[in-house]
Amino acid sequence: MADTQYILPNDIGVSSLDCREAFRLLLPTERLYAHHLSRAAWYGGLAVLLQTSPEAPYIYALLSRLFRAQDPDQLRQHALAEGLTEEEYQAFLVYTAGVYSNMGNYKSFGDTKFVPNLPKEKLERVILGSKAAEQHPEEVGGLWQTCGELMFSLESRLRHLGLGKEGITTYFSGNCTMEDAKLAQDFLDSQNLSAYNTRLFKEIGQDGKPCYEVRLASVLSTEPILDSEMNSKLKSYEFQGSNFRVTRGDYAPILRKVVEHLEKAKAYAATSHQEQMLAQYIESFTHGSIEAHKKGSRFWIQDKAPIVESYIGFIESYRDPFGSRGEFEGFVAMVNKAMSAKFEWLVASAEQLLKELPWPPAFEKDKFLTPDFTSLDVLTFAGSGIPAGINIPNYDDLRQTEGFKNVSLGNVLAVAYATQREKLTFLEEEDKDLYIRWKGPSFDVQVGLHELLGHGSGKLFVQDEKGAFNFDQETVINPETGEQIQSWYRSGETWDSKFSTIASSYEECRAESVGLYLCLNPRVLEIFGFEGADAEDVVYVNWLNMVRAGLLALEFYTPEASSWRQAHMQARFVILRVLLEAGEGLVTVTPTTGSDGRPDAQVHLDRNKIRTVGKPALERFLRRLQVLKSTGDVAGGRALYEGYAAVTDAPPECFLSLRDTVLLRKEARKLIVQPNTRLEGSEVQLLEYEASAAGLIRSFSERFPEDGPELEEILTQLATADARFWKCPSETPSGQA
């Protein structure tokens, strides 16, 4: 049986997203707009399978065939007849639901592989004796032969996503190293090409030199068209002794379906901004142009307060081991007016609140570009997981000059972060009831501050292609050194490309720290409706939640590689270390023994010292984070951040030992069941599903009613076409669970 960190437990929490009322209030044209955007998102989300692991597309295709032929109840009868126990069949349902939720066989939150929690030979009997195998024996047998071993394998390199010997990734061919990734980034920077929609494939030429293919995601591949921006880039290059070839056409059949539904959505756009936005997205996905996606994002930023909100593309770079390539995601949601009103008040106060952040005015954007900030009820979120809030677009140049949007995903917050008292770990008994009462409200405050004033604050010092600076070199002084600014971003450099492997986590840490720092402001608490004792409880629980999260984060640290697998959790551990370093008993983490006799731990936060000890410590840390980010000081940023992120067994906390306790007590992240929309005549229907693993499977079985088999064939063909870049799945040695 597999180690518990590599399985999803049978009692994993499963919740359904409730957007019924918000959907009901949409006009018919708004429903049609939302429907086609949702279809585009769901189709595009399938690309994540190809961005995760070599075997993920085959696993998805196999499971989809299985449950299309027999629904979970029907397959259950067959499984029990084949000798599975009820527990083993439930484990298979949970595994399948996990693959669908994460769009692959690695957890989106933590990048850890998960395997079926039942014997391989039993699952093989179920699959090969299923109705799907009966109907299509060669196809189902072939899929099982291709992915069966890898589905269960826990060979050390396959346990986590990573680059080279550190793990598995399909953003890079299997022979790529971190040095290759750095060289490729330098090449991309030299050609002013973004890595967001690329993958990198390395082969050795006959002359012994490495040859790199930079492949852009697009519908078109070699077709010559009047598209000078991209056509001029599609060629071979010599760069630092290596050959580079820029091609396009990655995920082409999938993106063709995305474009088809974006075209249909355009007919129901409510504003010209939406029409132009969709036109540019279509251009981007058709030609492989990030510049077109940027143009679309400009129109998206200008599309203020839409009834139906959406965003789609290669967005977050958390799962690229180098930190530059974007995972495909798309969401569609409707506005929650009550919570959005509070966020509007927060936006109205933003310029004053920014002045309270602990860095000089020169390190803040020249002008605060007032963004949209809405609370949304999600209809569709396609990708590897669903966040609580988003601050986008991620393009540095747009954020500095055009602005951004913030969204808080209200119906996700309502279900994904709810906590049962009996499952609360590492808190003192007297804190538990307070924590349960105020965790939700405090998290609303933290998400609002994190997204708007965390990600929305701070200036990058840049020298453009003409040599002009966006700051005064003579008068701007580094508050940490007392000297003039010594470093900055050159033309073509971005935050992600420069800080690479630590960029995502560092920025999440900065945003989380801003949230903790500004939640102490009474004006902020009043905006959210909290005063007096309630306001103090919200502050206390917000800080307590961060301290506890810092301890829980140890689940996502890999001692063998001395590396973190999840940006947000690494960020929270760093904040815990900062608050522990503040001393004076502000925070303590104490190993204990639980009532069950097993190792346990307890976190303590002295609420009377949050302002007197915690705030000054956070202030110093935040200022250093921002100054190093603004100046592009990679060496200084790495030294600071990696120092706090180091996990050792040094007393008094002994974090490496505490990690074993965290793993012993961990609770699996919830699975979220999402609805479908279906076009019946000219009307759009909302289809909802029960909150269970079986319900989640049904939602996916009904997601692609008209072309499910075609999509599975597309996925397996795309995976097979690139299989040579990794070990062929059927030949991979098994470290079987």
Side-chain angles (χ1 to χ4, degrees):
M1 199 57 65
D3 186 320
T4 55
Q5 53 178 318
Y6 303 110
I7 60 171
L8 303 178
N10 278 12
D11 64 350
I12 192 169
V14 185
S15 297
S16 291
L17 278 190
D18 180 10
C19 62
R20 189 182 312 158
E21 181 61 15
F23 186 79
R24 186 186 68 80
L25 294 172
L26 294 181
L27 298 173
T29 52
E30 292 166 346
R31 290 186 183 190
L32 286 161
Y33 182 66
H35 167 72
H36 288 297
L37 288 176
S38 291
R39 301 309 297 151
W42 285 125
Y43 280 119
L46 296 173
V48 177
L49 293 160
L50 294 154
Q51 294 180 302
T52 300
S53 70
E55 70 274 14
Y58 301 104
I59 294 173
Y60 173 90
L62 178 62
L63 297 175
S64 295
R65 281 181 177 266
L66 209 60
F67 285 103
R68 188 169 52 251
Q70 292 168 284
D71 75 17
D73 291 338
Q74 293 167 337
L75 193 64
R76 175 178 172 274
Q77 299 306 318
H78 164 61
L80 297 182
E82 288 288 354
L84 267 69
T85 64
E86 289 280 7
E87 290 74 22
E88 287 168 338
Y89 183 62
Q90 177 62 21
F92 178 51
L93 292 184
V94 166
Y95 175 79
T96 303
V99 169
Y100 287 153
S101 291
N102 293 278
M103 269 292 101
N105 56 331
Y106 287 75
K107 296 175 188 174
S108 66
F109 205 81
D111 295 343
T112 304
K113 188 174 186 178
F114 57 95
V115 300
N117 189 23
L118 69 157
K120 178 172 174 279
E121 59 276 11
K122 283 192 170 186
L123 181 56
E124 182 173 25
R125 286 205 303 272
V126 171
I127 289 171
L128 298 184
S130 68
K131 194 171 180 181
E134 199 179 292
Q135 294 169 344
H136 303 283
E138 287 187 19
E139 290 91 334
V140 172
L143 286 169
W144 173 252
Q145 187 178 2
T146 302
C147 69
E149 290 292 330
L150 276 177
M151 186 187 287
F152 281 83
S153 176
L154 285 174
E155 182 189 333
S156 58
R157 185 186 169 215
L158 304 181
R159 292 176 185 174
H160 307 290
L161 296 180
L163 189 54
K165 295 177 182 177
E166 301 301 322
I168 193 75
T169 179
T170 45
Y171 283 114
F172 298 86
S173 56
N175 57 352
C176 282
T177 64
M178 198 58 80
E179 288 71 31
D180 293 315
K182 178 68 173 71
L183 177 65
Q185 187 62 58
D186 290 344
F187 165 73
L188 290 168
D189 289 345
S190 75
Q191 298 301 317
N192 203 24
L193 274 170
S194 169
Y196 270 120
N197 64 341
T198 70
R199 291 197 290 168
L200 184 72
F201 301 93
K202 173 185 171 184
E203 294 184 282
I204 304 300
Q206 291 183 342
D207 58 0
K209 283 185 179 181
C211 180
Y212 299 93
E213 179 193 1
V214 175
R215 191 188 301 168
L216 311 178
S218 67
V219 175
L220 298 177
S221 51
T222 56
E223 301 91 333
I225 62 161
L226 297 173
D227 171 28
S228 58
E229 182 227 329
M230 292 313 302
N231 276 350
S232 64
K233 304 284 188 184
L234 301 172
K235 59 184 181 183
S236 295
Y237 302 78
E238 177 85 16
F239 183 77
Q240 294 185 13
S242 295
N243 296 314
F244 278 83
R245 187 164 54 96
V246 179
T247 67
R248 67 181 173 188
D250 216 359
Y251 326 118
I254 292 171
L255 291 176
R256 189 172 290 115
K257 289 180 179 288
V258 173
V259 165
E260 178 187 326
H261 281 279
L262 292 179
E263 288 280 14
K264 290 179 178 178
K266 202 158 61 132
Y268 303 105
T271 66
S272 62
H273 284 136
Q274 288 178 1
E275 284 183 36
Q276 292 169 295
M277 166 190 86
L278 293 175
Q280 291 298 327
Y281 292 164
I282 290 165
E283 169 85 6
S284 173
F285 298 143
T286 301
H287 301 300
S289 167
I290 288 295
E291 283 305 312
H293 197 269
K294 283 185 180 180
K295 290 176 184 174
S297 297
R298 280 193 182 92
F299 290 120
W300 180 72
I301 293 165
Q302 293 162 15
D303 185 33
K304 302 290 187 185
I307 301 297
V308 176
E309 183 62 281
S310 68
Y311 197 62
I312 191 169
F314 296 89
I315 312 299
E316 301 294 354
S317 57
Y318 302 127
R319 298 181 94 191
D320 169 14
F322 190 71
S324 292
R325 287 153 191 80
E327 183 175 85
F328 194 97
E329 73 178 38
F331 78 85
V332 184
M334 293 81 68
V335 173
N336 177 319
K337 292 184 178 177
M339 182 56 80
S340 295
K342 294 179 181 178
F343 289 142
E344 285 172 19
W345 298 336
L346 188 64
V347 170
S349 304
E351 286 192 80
Q352 288 305 310
L353 292 171
L354 283 170
K355 294 174 183 175
E356 299 190 18
L357 290 173
W359 48 78
F363 286 74
E364 194 46 72
K365 292 185 181 71
D366 300 332
K367 182 175 178 2
F368 181 70
L369 300 160
T370 306
D372 250 14
F373 196 168
T374 48
S375 177
L376 303 174
D377 284 343
V378 171
L379 170 65
T380 296
F381 205 112
S384 67
I386 312 179
I390 318 171
N391 176 288
I392 39 181
N394 286 331
Y395 305 119
D396 292 334
D397 48 350
L398 289 193
R399 296 173 65 80
Q400 297 286 320
T401 60
E402 306 278 342
F404 52 89
K405 280 188 185 182
N406 299 275
V407 296
S408 174
L409 305 179
N411 59 342
V412 176
L413 285 168
V415 296
Y417 299 92
T419 310
Q420 296 173 298
R421 195 181 198 282
E422 61 271 19
K423 291 191 174 182
L424 262 184
T425 52
F426 309 132
L427 291 183
E428 294 172 317
E429 202 60 35
E430 57 268 29
D431 280 335
K432 288 184 177 179
D433 289 333
L434 196 69
Y435 183 89
I436 288 170
R437 180 181 176 190
W438 293 109
K439 185 190 176 188
S442 71
F443 202 55
D444 283 338
V445 174
Q446 179 67 12
V447 168
L449 294 171
H450 172 117
E451 300 295 348
L452 176 66
L453 298 165
H455 291 314
S457 64
K459 178 175 180 174
L460 302 184
F461 294 156
V462 177
Q463 182 183 25
D464 66 20
E465 66 278 2
K466 296 176 181 175
F469 291 87
N470 69 342
F471 66 98
D472 190 328
Q473 285 183 284
E474 299 298 320
T475 61
V476 177
I477 300 298
N478 183 325
E480 296 294 303
T481 64
E483 300 173 352
Q484 291 178 329
I485 304 304
Q486 303 295 317
S487 57
W488 48 83
Y489 296 80
R490 264 71 179 183
S491 175
E493 290 182 330
T494 67
W495 163 249
D496 279 339
S497 70
K498 206 164 170 64
F499 281 71
S500 65
T501 53
I502 67 165
S504 293
S505 184
Y506 188 112
E507 173 59 13
E508 291 305 325
C509 185
R510 196 183 67 88
E512 291 283 44
S513 298
V514 167
L516 285 187
Y517 186 77
L518 289 179
C519 83
L520 299 170
N521 188 301
R523 190 186 319 146
V524 168
L525 296 165
E526 284 174 22
I527 287 170
F528 284 89
F530 306 119
E531 295 178 323
D534 285 354
E536 289 305 304
D537 284 344
V538 166
V539 168
Y540 176 63
V541 170
N542 195 33
W543 279 60
L544 181 64
N545 187 47
M546 190 63 69
V547 169
R548 177 175 180 260
L551 180 60
L552 294 174
L554 289 169
E555 175 190 343
F556 302 95
Y557 179 75
T558 305
E560 299 82 4
S562 300
S563 65
W564 286 89
R565 304 188 310 276
Q566 216 291 324
H568 297 78
M569 298 310 282
Q570 180 183 10
R572 290 161 190 168
F573 177 77
V574 166
I575 292 171
L576 171 61
R577 288 283 312 276
V578 169
L579 297 179
L580 282 165
E581 189 183 77
E584 297 188 44
L586 171 69
V587 172
T588 56
V589 180
T590 310
T592 62
T593 301
S595 57
D596 56 5
R598 300 188 301 171
D600 208 338
Q602 209 163 68
V603 297
H604 172 77
L605 170 68
D606 188 335
R607 66 186 300 162
N608 296 317
K609 294 180 179 176
I610 290 174
R611 284 183 169 81
T612 57
V613 179
K615 184 180 179 182
L618 203 58
E619 188 171 293
R620 290 189 296 272
F621 177 63
L622 246 181
R623 181 168 55 247
R624 292 178 71 191
L625 283 179
Q626 183 56 52
V627 167
L628 293 164
K629 180 180 179 180
S630 289
T631 58
D633 183 350
V634 179
R638 281 195 177 277
L640 172 69
Y641 199 69
E642 291 174 348
Y644 278 114
V647 179
T648 71
D649 239 354
E653 289 82 25
C654 305
F655 282 121
L656 270 180
S657 298
L658 271 177
R659 178 178 176 272
D660 295 333
T661 303
V662 170
L663 290 174
L664 183 69
R665 303 276 177 185
K666 75 184 180 78
E667 182 184 359
R669 194 172 174 84
K670 282 184 180 178
L671 303 178
I672 305 293
V673 182
Q674 298 188 55
N676 285 319
T677 56
R678 180 171 296 168
L679 191 57
E680 296 180 1
S682 60
E683 292 190 3
V684 180
Q685 303 298 324
L686 184 71
L687 306 178
E688 297 175 286
Y689 303 88
E690 67 177 22
S692 67
L696 199 155
I697 291 167
R698 286 190 180 95
S699 75
F700 266 86
S701 294
E702 296 181 11
R703 192 141 284 154
F704 304 106
E706 57 285 323
D707 54 3
E710 179 197 347
L711 290 169
E712 291 143 27
E713 192 172 340
I714 285 170
L715 286 166
T716 54
Q717 285 176 350
L718 290 174
T720 302
D722 287 330
R724 64 193 172 90
F725 291 112
W726 301 276
K727 287 180 181 177
C728 181
S730 60
E731 296 173 3
T732 300
S734 168
Q736 210 169 299

